[in-house]
Amino acid sequence: MSHEPDAEVSLQPEEGWHCTHSYYTFDWGELTGLEEYETAAGREEIIAILDPQGPEAPMRLQTSIVSGHKADFGLMLMDPDPLKVDAVHQRLMASSLGPAMFASYSFISLTEVSEYVPSLEQYGQKLVDEEGETSGSPSYHAKMKAYEQREGHMRRQRLTPEFPAWPCTCFYPMNKKREVVENWFLLDFEARRRLMGEHARTGMTFGGKVTQLITVGLGLEDWEWGVTLWARNPGFLRDIVYRMRFDEASARYAVFGPFFTSYITTAEKMLDHCRIGIQTEPV
Amino acid sequence: MSHEPDAEVSLQPEEGWHCTHSYYTFDWGELTGLEEYETAAGREEIIAILDPQGPEAPMRLQTSIVSGHKADFGLMLMDPDPLKVDAVHQRLMASSLGPAMFASYSFISLTEVSEYVPSLEQYGQKLVDEEGETSGSPSYHAKMKAYEQREGHMRRQRLTPEFPAWPCTCFYPMNKKREVVENWFLLDFEARRRLMGEHARTGMTFGGKVTQLITVGLGLEDWEWGVTLWARNPGFLRDIVYRMRFDEASARYAVFGPFFTSYITTAEKMLDHCRIGIQTEPV
Amino acid sequence: MSHEPDAEVSLQPEEGWHCTHSYYTFDWGELTGLEEYETAAGREEIIAILDPQGPEAPMRLQTSIVSGHKADFGLMLMDPDPLKVDAVHQRLMASSLGPAMFASYSFISLTEVSEYVPSLEQYGQKLVDEEGETSGSPSYHAKMKAYEQREGHMRRQRLTPEFPAWPCTCFYPMNKKREVVENWFLLDFEARRRLMGEHARTGMTFGGKVTQLITVGLGLEDWEWGVTLWARNPGFLRDIVYRMRFDEASARYAVFGPFFTSYITTAEKMLDHCRIGIQTEPV
Amino acid sequence: MSHEPDAEVSLQPEEGWHCTHSYYTFDWGELTGLEEYETAAGREEIIAILDPQGPEAPMRLQTSIVSGHKADFGLMLMDPDPLKVDAVHQRLMASSLGPAMFASYSFISLTEVSEYVPSLEQYGQKLVDEEGETSGSPSYHAKMKAYEQREGHMRRQRLTPEFPAWPCTCFYPMNKKREVVENWFLLDFEARRRLMGEHARTGMTFGGKVTQLITVGLGLEDWEWGVTLWARNPGFLRDIVYRMRFDEASARYAVFGPFFTSYITTAEKMLDHCRIGIQTEPV
Amino acid sequence: MSHEPDAEVSLQPEEGWHCTHSYYTFDWGELTGLEEYETAAGREEIIAILDPQGPEAPMRLQTSIVSGHKADFGLMLMDPDPLKVDAVHQRLMASSLGPAMFASYSFISLTEVSEYVPSLEQYGQKLVDEEGETSGSPSYHAKMKAYEQREGHMRRQRLTPEFPAWPCTCFYPMNKKREVVENWFLLDFEARRRLMGEHARTGMTFGGKVTQLITVGLGLEDWEWGVTLWARNPGFLRDIVYRMRFDEASARYAVFGPFFTSYITTAEKMLDHCRIGIQTEPV
């Protein structure tokens, strides 16, 4: 039994951030019951609450217009403090438009670095074992240095990600299968690493077209992982998911939850699109 | 890692259109609470919003009366711009009848050309390999030319389809199975092509009776594909689905979602059928 | 590709009828908000709408009181025209009681003759092959004539059924299993015919106690078939379903949806039972 | 085809009773909208409706307080007439509190004698075959007589049960599995009898602690059977279900639906517990 | 058939407590309809109801803020008397804020000592058999005495637990799988004890980071067990669940229900976070 009395008692993980994906639907029965000035006020309040530069905004705050009937808009929120993330939801609900909207779905998770990414030491060993490098040689050093930078960038991008500037995004939760014959969690580490490596290489072929972020729901959510994709255009969302479905990691072991496709924009444009508080001309 | 810096940052796919199937139910509790003039205004607004020739209408807009309790009416919408498609939904919700209706279901997808359709080159090769044609011979050229036209027509029909003039339509989403023994995504391309070919030939036996359009939900929706059928009469919807269920591609590999059967009409006739804003005589 | 340009463009199938099972629940929160005269008017409207002899009534219209919380009453409706069937639902919703009731479930289907019933020709062949009859002999002719009559009666009963005069009824949708080892749609016709024959013989042992009607949901509904049972008393509903569950066709291949048990009556008695618009004495 | 023209056309089964388990939740949004005198009147009406000695009460009527959010109270109702059972629900809904409550779940079933219980004749045969008795001997006669009494008591207890005086009760529906390898309905009678016998013996070890009643949903409900347990204290509910789960009949073949745990009381005490119509002091 | 006429007729189990996890969501449509003084009163009532030292409070009462859209706050309640536990729910519902909140989920269970924990006698035997101790030797006695204390502490902690002072908590229900090949309930005791032992050892590696409590839903709830985790920080919730998923007991045999992650606080701070009854400045 290992005691670590020094581990801090805190709502914040030791590394990485909390992440919440939230989806909201407007209720026009309630909206119609509001006075015009209430809707106008609510509109301004929502714009303020969803301002990524606002005084109470979490570290990341992204607003998008959702396609289809599942929701009208989506939020992607990240911060070290889970209550700061959740406070965005509570401020929306307590706003003048709160009575006229409801949360249709959410997914809570944590950022993390995948255990399948080699550490610097593991990478060095791999150079020697698999690529015939001599430890300590100039080319070994050059490669190690390059990896160190890449790995550092990758860690930051996983734990405290910057979001890409692409407008098309899709979120879905997923599990790994635990069937009688095909059980991810009964595979040994090496087998899992190999499958995830193959999967990652497929992902890399979409470099410049699609960016992916995996966050972890294990211990927090109904699903084990959450996948967020950003794409240059919506066709690439389809292309990468279709292509990846043939990877053994997906084909044999993945179980997928609901998909939420949305288009990134500002709170103001989202409200315009949803016709909230705008002068509605006779259509 | 392949970079394609020239791929446009856009909400529009590089080829093909966005497609949304939407289903709506009227809420008579709310309808009864509206003033007669509100209902009358809402009726006119809906007729305008659902006018396929309207100024803001997407490229395709089809209205139908849904059978059964799942919904009162359905829409099938297509356009290169997903927000133009979604705006139809937002305009309906923001109309005078918005408070008295709700979206019971929707499915978002993209049009595409099936990867199992041979390209012109592949077709030429097939002529030589499987049909004993000599490359460059007159009959080879004639067949190639015919295929080129057929393939072009088919591409247009898949990517930017014209809807047939038949009144009976059915939509359902579907997946391909990924069970331990029967896993579509572990089949090689040739096996999948053969199964889809058999399936397509079944479809062709319904030529003149049923038209089918497959759109792709992968990366966007809970289901991988959406199937839209149009039929000369409702018996053919039953016939083709029953017949196809025995194809190995379906029998062994298909998983089906909910079915929505509806009858194509104008917005005005749909509103009449649903008795919205008409003078209701004592029944 | 077979073209049949002569197949009529129509909402009516070439043979048989549309069939809808609909289930409704009253909402007492809304009912209490109605004025007494509104409830009284609504009661009269519902009685008129559900009158099987009414001017707009479909060919078949049966009302029943549903047991349990799934619904208060059920309808079974049949007509060649699907909009005539659906109009009953729309008239109920648009009635004075529409705001105080909602459709809890429905199932849409078509009537049909089972493909496992031998045609007259097949029957003749069977007489020769399996029963040692000589084609053209007097006993062959007598049997053929008897079958012709039986088959004609059976066809009418399947396509345009008369409902039995028994008060207990149950409806449930069902699929045939498509599991890896047990897949109905991978069985050959002969195997399916044999299993359905065994199943039909079990049904016949309930002659005089239970009548069954199978309608087809394939291509129209979430489930492949709908089963309607009518019984002399409710114990026979249990007996036949329990007994049939041991038939291989059921035990191995059937997947069942929700069951709706109800007792056939008039609209007026149904409304009395549900205490709609009657003078409610202090209980 | 066996005709039994004498079988009565009736809503009542030839033997045994209808049984309904119903669960209700109060809606405090609606309750708060009622006038104090309406709540007080509704409270009295509910007490009258749920009086097991009331003039319209079915043969059995038991009220209980449900634990957790699934419902506030439960009813267990039995009578030969299904409409008399269902009328309790309709009277509740039509009461002054009807608008402020809704049915969250129900299960309808019939009582029956298990087919695995030997008849007197079968028991006699078993005495001779398995216990070495000589047919007609004094000890044979004594055993037969004892069984006859036991079997008669058991039949009455199954078909028209008296409820035990224990306060803890649990209801859950269940099916028998029909998987590819483990399929209850493909077992022969002897195998099923053996498994049910083992299961019954486990039940007997809880004599004096737990009483069980099995009612049949087959042909009426989504689930095949309903299980009602009454226990001297709640720990025995856990003990018997945990212990029985290891019986092969359960471990291998049982599929369980939702569980409803509740504590038997009078309607009045139930309303007190749910704080309906009592003077609510500031908490 | 064993009779134990002395077993008390009681709502309380012979040992251990009832446990309810409850989750609540506020309804801002209703909240907005309340007068300011009603909300203020409701706020005070909720603080009183959720005061762990209040006169009617059950033995344990813990309040937490829930992340995501599943609920706004959660309660964990324990008492020997199930009606005392349930009364907290009824008092919340009957409070001035009752109309503006609803229970989104609950799980009822009982505390218990795992059958896999060795008794003092079994432990003594194990010392002799597996650790080479001589029964009665000084070191045997020392070990026995130490175990006796540990076991007593563990029993109290299982049956009448003190909650740790850590702020991060997660609840989820679970079952053990009963698939054709992998069926927990067909394993013999020794195999199950071994798997649970391995699982427990994994848990111990999180000593000082995570505390776990298993309560039993068997016979009471839809799921067999409920798992409550408390962690020093949220990263450990993820770490332990991820790590344990590779234990054979989980990987092969566990089936998980919904997860509820929440942060422990006082009722007052929870209401502040949810912005109930506070002066809401323009955001």
Side-chain angles (χ1 to χ4, degrees):
Chain A
M1 200 185 298
S2 87
H3 281 273
E4 299 188 17
D6 303 342
E8 205 180 343
V9 173
S10 169
L11 303 193
Q12 306 191 7
E14 290 182 308
E15 69 171 18
W17 287 348
H18 289 269
C19 176
T20 293
H21 294 74
S22 273
Y23 297 91
Y24 296 89
T25 303
F26 290 108
D27 175 338
W28 278 89
E30 295 290 333
L31 273 171
T32 310
L34 297 179
E35 299 294 331
E36 201 169 302
Y37 75 88
E38 289 174 309
T39 306
R43 182 182 159 100
E44 291 315 306
E45 293 166 39
I46 287 185
I47 288 171
I49 295 165
L50 300 186
D51 178 359
Q53 312 305 328
E56 298 175 82
M59 297 299 285
R60 298 288 179 275
L61 191 167
Q62 185 177 80
T63 299
S64 55
I65 295 171
V66 176
S67 265
H69 86 300
K70 282 181 197 156
D72 286 311
F73 71 99
L75 301 179
M76 184 172 179
L77 307 164
M78 286 184 159
D79 201 84
D81 180 352
L83 296 186
K84 197 161 181 184
V85 167
D86 199 64
V88 176
H89 172 64
Q90 298 297 349
R91 283 204 298 278
L92 285 176
M93 288 296 102
S95 78
S96 303
L97 284 175
M101 52 199 280
F102 58 92
S104 357
Y105 188 70
S106 70
F107 189 83
I108 63 165
S109 54
L110 287 169
T111 61
E112 72 161 6
V113 178
S114 162
E115 63 172 327
Y116 304 111
V117 172
S119 67
L120 190 59
E121 290 67 31
Q122 290 169 330
Y123 181 75
Q125 197 60 46
K126 218 175 103 180
L127 284 182
V128 175
D129 293 352
E130 299 177 19
E131 304 192 17
E133 288 288 345
T134 307
S135 175
S137 71
S139 83
Y140 174 88
H141 274 304
K143 284 183 175 170
M144 285 293 276
K145 180 146 193 165
Y147 185 70
E148 190 171 15
Q149 283 178 358
R150 240 170 33 236
E151 201 259 359
H153 173 75
M154 187 275 302
R155 280 184 71 80
R156 281 188 303 278
Q157 199 46 30
R158 291 285 189 107
L159 293 172
T160 57
E162 301 288 337
F163 296 171
W166 295 336
C168 308
T169 184
C170 178
F171 170 78
Y172 56 94
M174 62 174 294
N175 280 352
K176 289 297 192 188
K177 216 197 270 179
R178 293 185 293 117
E179 296 294 314
V180 172
V181 173
E182 290 172 351
N183 188 324
W184 179 260
F185 294 95
L186 291 180
L187 298 179
D188 60 34
F189 180 80
E190 208 37 53
R192 285 181 279 121
R193 200 181 60 79
R194 183 185 61 75
L195 290 166
M196 293 310 286
E198 176 198 39
H199 207 41
R201 280 190 298 278
T202 302
M204 282 177 220
T205 65
F206 284 86
K209 293 173 181 166
V210 181
T211 293
Q212 186 187 58
L213 179 75
I214 309 291
T215 54
V216 191
L218 272 152
L220 309 165
E221 257 293 357
D222 304 359
W223 297 85
E224 294 163 356
W225 287 279
V227 180
T228 309
L229 303 175
W230 291 269
R232 286 179 90 89
N233 81 48
F236 295 139
L237 294 174
R238 171 200 55 198
D239 293 346
I240 192 173
V241 172
Y242 184 53
R243 177 62 190 78
M244 283 191 152
R245 196 139 302 180
F246 292 98
D247 289 343
E248 195 179 345
S250 268
R252 204 183 283 286
Y253 294 109
V255 182
F256 299 102
F259 281 65
F260 289 83
T261 301
S262 60
Y263 300 100
I264 296 161
T265 189
T266 62
E268 191 166 8
K269 283 184 184 159
M270 176 277 287
L271 290 161
D272 284 352
H273 179 75
C274 295
R275 309 176 85 82
I276 306 297
I278 57 172
Q279 293 304 106
T280 28
E281 305 292 321
V283 250
Chain B
M1 199 187 295
S2 87
H3 281 274
E4 299 189 18
D6 303 342
E8 204 180 343
V9 173
S10 168
L11 303 193
Q12 307 192 6
E14 290 182 308
E15 71 171 16
W17 288 348
H18 290 268
C19 177
T20 293
H21 293 74
S22 273
Y23 297 91
Y24 295 89
T25 303
F26 291 109
D27 175 339
W28 279 90
E30 295 290 332
L31 273 171
T32 309
L34 297 179
E35 300 293 331
E36 202 169 302
Y37 74 89
E38 289 174 310
T39 306
R43 183 181 158 100
E44 290 315 305
E45 293 166 39
I46 287 185
I47 289 170
I49 296 165
L50 300 185
D51 178 359
Q53 313 305 330
E56 298 175 81
M59 298 298 286
R60 296 288 179 276
L61 191 167
Q62 185 177 80
T63 300
S64 55
I65 295 170
V66 176
S67 265
H69 85 299
K70 282 180 197 155
D72 286 313
F73 70 98
L75 301 179
M76 184 172 178
L77 308 163
M78 285 184 160
D79 201 84
D81 180 352
L83 297 186
K84 196 160 181 184
V85 167
D86 199 65
V88 175
H89 172 64
Q90 297 297 349
R91 283 204 297 279
L92 285 176
M93 287 297 103
S95 78
S96 303
L97 284 175
M101 52 198 280
F102 59 92
S104 358
Y105 187 71
S106 70
F107 189 84
I108 64 166
S109 54
L110 288 169
T111 62
E112 73 162 5
V113 177
S114 162
E115 64 173 326
Y116 305 112
V117 172
S119 66
L120 191 58
E121 291 67 32
Q122 290 169 329
Y123 182 76
Q125 197 59 46
K126 217 174 105 181
L127 283 182
V128 174
D129 293 351
E130 299 177 19
E131 304 191 17
E133 289 287 345
T134 307
S135 177
S137 72
S139 83
Y140 173 89
H141 274 303
K143 282 181 177 174
M144 286 293 276
K145 179 146 196 167
Y147 184 70
E148 189 171 16
Q149 284 179 356
R150 239 170 34 236
E151 201 260 358
H153 173 74
M154 186 276 302
R155 280 185 70 80
R156 280 188 304 279
Q157 197 48 30
R158 290 285 189 108
L159 292 172
T160 57
E162 301 288 337
F163 296 171
W166 296 337
C168 308
T169 184
C170 179
F171 170 77
Y172 56 94
M174 62 174 293
N175 280 352
K176 289 297 192 189
K177 215 197 271 179
R178 293 184 294 118
E179 296 293 314
V180 173
V181 172
E182 291 171 352
N183 188 324
W184 178 260
F185 294 95
L186 291 181
L187 298 178
D188 60 33
F189 180 81
E190 208 36 55
R192 285 181 279 120
R193 200 182 61 80
R194 183 185 61 75
L195 290 166
M196 292 310 286
E198 176 198 39
H199 207 42
R201 281 189 297 278
T202 302
M204 282 177 219
T205 66
F206 284 87
K209 293 172 181 168
V210 181
T211 294
Q212 185 186 58
L213 180 73
I214 308 292
T215 54
V216 190
L218 272 152
L220 309 165
E221 257 292 357
D222 304 359
W223 297 85
E224 294 163 355
W225 286 280
V227 180
T228 309
L229 302 175
W230 292 268
R232 287 179 90 88
N233 80 48
F236 295 139
L237 294 174
R238 171 199 55 198
D239 293 346
I240 193 173
V241 172
Y242 184 53
R243 177 61 191 76
M244 283 191 152
R245 197 139 303 181
F246 292 98
D247 288 343
E248 195 179 345
S250 268
R252 205 183 282 288
Y253 294 108
V255 182
F256 299 102
F259 281 65
F260 290 83
T261 301
S262 60
Y263 300 101
I264 295 161
T265 189
T266 62
E268 190 166 9
K269 283 185 184 157
M270 176 276 287
L271 290 161
D272 284 352
H273 179 75
C274 297
R275 308 176 86 82
I276 307 297
I278 56 171
Q279 292 306 105
T280 28
E281 306 292 321
V283 253
Chain C
M1 200 187 299
S2 87
H3 281 274
E4 299 190 19
D6 304 341
E8 205 181 342
V9 173
S10 169
L11 303 193
Q12 307 193 6
E14 290 182 310
E15 70 171 17
W17 288 348
H18 289 269
C19 176
T20 294
H21 293 74
S22 273
Y23 298 91
Y24 296 89
T25 302
F26 290 109
D27 175 339
W28 279 89
E30 296 289 332
L31 273 171
T32 309
L34 297 179
E35 300 294 331
E36 202 170 302
Y37 75 88
E38 289 174 310
T39 307
R43 184 182 157 101
E44 290 316 304
E45 293 165 39
I46 286 185
I47 289 171
I49 296 164
L50 300 186
D51 178 359
Q53 312 306 328
E56 298 175 82
M59 297 299 284
R60 297 288 179 274
L61 191 166
Q62 184 177 80
T63 300
S64 55
I65 295 170
V66 175
S67 266
H69 85 299
K70 281 180 198 155
D72 287 313
F73 70 98
L75 302 179
M76 184 172 178
L77 308 163
M78 285 184 160
D79 201 84
D81 180 351
L83 297 186
K84 196 161 182 183
V85 167
D86 198 66
V88 175
H89 171 65
Q90 298 297 348
R91 284 205 297 280
L92 284 176
M93 288 296 102
S95 79
S96 303
L97 284 175
M101 52 198 281
F102 58 93
S104 359
Y105 187 71
S106 70
F107 189 84
I108 64 166
S109 55
L110 288 169
T111 61
E112 72 161 7
V113 177
S114 162
E115 63 173 326
Y116 304 111
V117 172
S119 67
L120 191 58
E121 291 66 32
Q122 290 169 329
Y123 182 76
Q125 196 60 44
K126 216 175 107 181
L127 283 181
V128 175
D129 293 351
E130 299 177 19
E131 304 192 15
E133 289 287 343
T134 307
S135 176
S137 72
S139 84
Y140 174 90
H141 274 303
K143 284 182 175 172
M144 286 292 276
K145 180 146 195 167
Y147 184 72
E148 189 170 16
Q149 283 180 357
R150 245 178 20 244
E151 201 261 357
H153 173 74
M154 186 277 302
R155 280 185 70 80
R156 280 188 304 279
Q157 199 47 31
R158 290 286 190 107
L159 292 172
T160 59
E162 301 288 337
F163 296 170
W166 296 335
C168 307
T169 184
C170 179
F171 170 78
Y172 56 93
M174 63 175 293
N175 279 353
K176 289 297 191 189
K177 216 196 271 179
R178 292 184 294 118
E179 296 293 315
V180 172
V181 173
E182 290 171 353
N183 188 323
W184 178 260
F185 294 95
L186 291 181
L187 298 179
D188 61 32
F189 180 81
E190 207 36 54
R192 286 181 280 122
R193 200 182 60 79
R194 182 185 61 74
L195 290 167
M196 292 310 286
E198 176 199 40
H199 206 44
R201 280 190 297 278
T202 302
M204 282 177 218
T205 65
F206 284 87
K209 293 173 180 167
V210 181
T211 293
Q212 185 186 60
L213 180 73
I214 308 292
T215 54
V216 190
L218 272 151
L220 309 165
E221 257 292 357
D222 304 358
W223 296 85
E224 294 163 357
W225 286 280
V227 181
T228 309
L229 302 176
W230 292 270
R232 287 179 90 88
N233 81 49
F236 295 139
L237 293 174
R238 170 200 55 198
D239 293 347
I240 192 172
V241 172
Y242 184 53
R243 176 63 191 76
M244 283 191 151
R245 196 138 303 180
F246 292 98
D247 289 344
E248 195 179 343
S250 269
R252 204 183 282 288
Y253 294 108
V255 181
F256 299 103
F259 280 66
F260 290 83
T261 301
S262 60
Y263 300 100
I264 296 161
T265 188
T266 62
E268 190 166 10
K269 282 183 184 159
M270 176 276 288
L271 290 162
D272 284 353
H273 178 76
C274 296
R275 308 175 86 83
I276 306 297
I278 57 171
Q279 292 304 106
T280 28
E281 305 292 321
V283 254
Chain D
M1 201 187 298
S2 88
H3 281 275
E4 299 189 18
D6 303 341
E8 204 180 344
V9 173
S10 169
L11 303 193
Q12 306 192 6
E14 290 182 310
E15 71 172 15
W17 288 349
H18 290 269
C19 177
T20 293
H21 294 74
S22 273
Y23 297 91
Y24 296 90
T25 302
F26 290 109
D27 175 339
W28 278 90
E30 295 290 332
L31 272 171
T32 310
L34 297 180
E35 299 294 332
E36 202 169 302
Y37 75 89
E38 288 174 310
T39 307
R43 183 181 157 100
E44 290 316 305
E45 293 166 40
I46 286 185
I47 289 170
I49 295 165
L50 299 186
D51 178 358
Q53 314 304 328
E56 298 175 82
M59 297 298 283
R60 297 288 179 275
L61 192 167
Q62 185 178 79
T63 300
S64 55
I65 295 170
V66 176
S67 265
H69 85 299
K70 282 181 198 156
D72 286 312
F73 71 97
L75 301 179
M76 184 173 178
L77 308 163
M78 285 185 160
D79 201 84
D81 180 352
L83 296 186
K84 197 161 181 183
V85 167
D86 199 64
V88 174
H89 172 64
Q90 298 296 350
R91 283 204 298 279
L92 285 176
M93 288 296 102
S95 78
S96 302
L97 284 176
M101 52 198 282
F102 58 92
S104 358
Y105 187 71
S106 70
F107 188 84
I108 64 166
S109 55
L110 288 169
T111 62
E112 73 162 4
V113 177
S114 162
E115 64 172 326
Y116 304 112
V117 172
S119 67
L120 191 58
E121 290 67 32
Q122 290 170 328
Y123 182 75
Q125 197 58 46
K126 216 175 106 180
L127 282 182
V128 174
D129 293 352
E130 299 177 19
E131 304 191 17
E133 289 289 343
T134 308
S135 177
S137 71
S139 83
Y140 174 90
H141 273 304
K143 284 181 175 172
M144 286 293 276
K145 180 146 194 168
Y147 185 71
E148 190 170 17
Q149 283 179 357
R150 245 176 21 241
E151 200 260 358
H153 173 74
M154 186 276 302
R155 281 184 70 79
R156 281 188 303 279
Q157 198 47 30
R158 290 285 189 108
L159 293 172
T160 58
E162 301 289 338
F163 295 170
W166 295 335
C168 308
T169 184
C170 178
F171 171 78
Y172 56 94
M174 62 175 293
N175 279 352
K176 290 298 192 189
K177 216 196 271 179
R178 292 184 294 116
E179 296 293 315
V180 172
V181 173
E182 291 171 351
N183 188 324
W184 178 261
F185 295 95
L186 291 181
L187 297 179
D188 61 33
F189 180 81
E190 207 38 52
R192 284 181 281 121
R193 200 182 60 79
R194 183 185 61 75
L195 290 167
M196 292 310 285
E198 176 198 40
H199 207 42
R201 280 189 297 279
T202 302
M204 282 177 218
T205 65
F206 284 85
K209 293 173 182 166
V210 181
T211 293
Q212 185 187 61
L213 180 73
I214 308 292
T215 55
V216 190
L218 273 152
L220 309 165
E221 257 292 356
D222 304 358
W223 296 85
E224 294 163 357
W225 287 280
V227 180
T228 308
L229 303 175
W230 291 269
R232 286 179 91 89
N233 80 49
F236 295 140
L237 294 174
R238 170 200 54 197
D239 294 346
I240 192 172
V241 172
Y242 184 52
R243 176 63 191 77
M244 283 190 152
R245 196 139 302 181
F246 292 98
D247 289 344
E248 195 179 344
S250 269
R252 206 184 281 288
Y253 294 108
V255 181
F256 299 103
F259 281 66
F260 289 84
T261 302
S262 60
Y263 301 100
I264 296 161
T265 188
T266 62
E268 191 167 8
K269 282 184 184 159
M270 176 277 287
L271 290 161
D272 284 352
H273 179 76
C274 296
R275 309 176 85 83
I276 307 297
I278 57 171
Q279 292 305 106
T280 27
E281 306 292 322
V283 252
Chain E
M1 200 187 298
S2 88
H3 281 274
E4 300 189 16
D6 303 341
E8 204 180 344
V9 173
S10 169
L11 303 193
Q12 307 192 6
E14 289 181 311
E15 70 170 18
W17 288 349
H18 289 269
C19 177
T20 293
H21 293 74
S22 273
Y23 297 91
Y24 296 89
T25 302
F26 290 109
D27 175 339
W28 278 90
E30 295 290 332
L31 272 171
T32 309
L34 297 179
E35 299 293 333
E36 202 169 302
Y37 75 88
E38 288 174 311
T39 306
R43 183 182 158 99
E44 291 315 306
E45 294 165 40
I46 286 185
I47 288 170
I49 295 164
L50 299 186
D51 178 359
Q53 313 305 330
E56 298 175 81
M59 297 298 284
R60 296 288 179 276
L61 191 167
Q62 184 176 81
T63 300
S64 55
I65 295 170
V66 176
S67 265
H69 86 299
K70 283 180 197 156
D72 286 312
F73 71 98
L75 301 179
M76 184 172 179
L77 308 163
M78 286 185 160
D79 201 85
D81 180 351
L83 297 186
K84 196 161 181 182
V85 167
D86 198 66
V88 175
H89 172 64
Q90 298 297 348
R91 282 204 299 279
L92 284 176
M93 288 295 102
S95 79
S96 302
L97 285 175
M101 52 198 280
F102 58 92
S104 359
Y105 188 70
S106 70
F107 189 84
I108 64 165
S109 55
L110 288 169
T111 61
E112 74 161 5
V113 177
S114 162
E115 64 173 326
Y116 304 112
V117 172
S119 66
L120 191 58
E121 290 67 31
Q122 290 169 328
Y123 182 75
Q125 197 59 47
K126 217 176 104 181
L127 284 181
V128 175
D129 293 353
E130 299 178 18
E131 305 192 16
E133 288 288 344
T134 308
S135 176
S137 72
S139 84
Y140 174 90
H141 273 304
K143 284 182 175 171
M144 286 293 277
K145 181 146 193 166
Y147 184 71
E148 190 171 15
Q149 283 179 358
R150 245 175 24 240
E151 200 260 358
H153 174 75
M154 186 276 301
R155 280 184 70 80
R156 280 189 304 277
Q157 198 47 30
R158 290 286 189 107
L159 293 171
T160 58
E162 302 288 337
F163 296 170
W166 296 335
C168 308
T169 184
C170 179
F171 171 77
Y172 56 94
M174 61 174 294
N175 279 352
K176 289 297 193 189
K177 217 197 269 179
R178 292 185 294 116
E179 297 294 315
V180 172
V181 173
E182 289 171 352
N183 188 323
W184 178 260
F185 294 95
L186 292 180
L187 297 179
D188 59 34
F189 180 80
E190 208 36 53
R192 285 181 280 120
R193 200 181 60 80
R194 182 184 62 73
L195 290 167
M196 292 310 285
E198 176 198 38
H199 207 42
R201 280 190 297 278
T202 302
M204 282 177 219
T205 65
F206 284 86
K209 294 173 182 168
V210 181
T211 293
Q212 185 187 60
L213 179 73
I214 309 291
T215 54
V216 190
L218 273 151
L220 309 165
E221 257 293 356
D222 304 359
W223 296 85
E224 294 163 357
W225 287 280
V227 180
T228 309
L229 302 176
W230 291 269
R232 285 179 91 88
N233 80 49
F236 294 139
L237 293 174
R238 171 200 54 198
D239 293 346
I240 193 173
V241 172
Y242 184 52
R243 176 62 192 78
M244 283 191 151
R245 197 138 302 180
F246 292 98
D247 289 344
E248 195 179 345
S250 268
R252 205 184 282 287
Y253 294 108
V255 181
F256 299 102
F259 281 65
F260 290 84
T261 301
S262 60
Y263 300 100
I264 295 161
T265 189
T266 62
E268 191 167 8
K269 282 184 185 158
M270 176 277 287
L271 290 161
D272 284 353
H273 179 75
C274 296
R275 308 175 86 84
I276 306 297
I278 56 171
Q279 292 306 106
T280 28
E281 306 291 321
V283 251

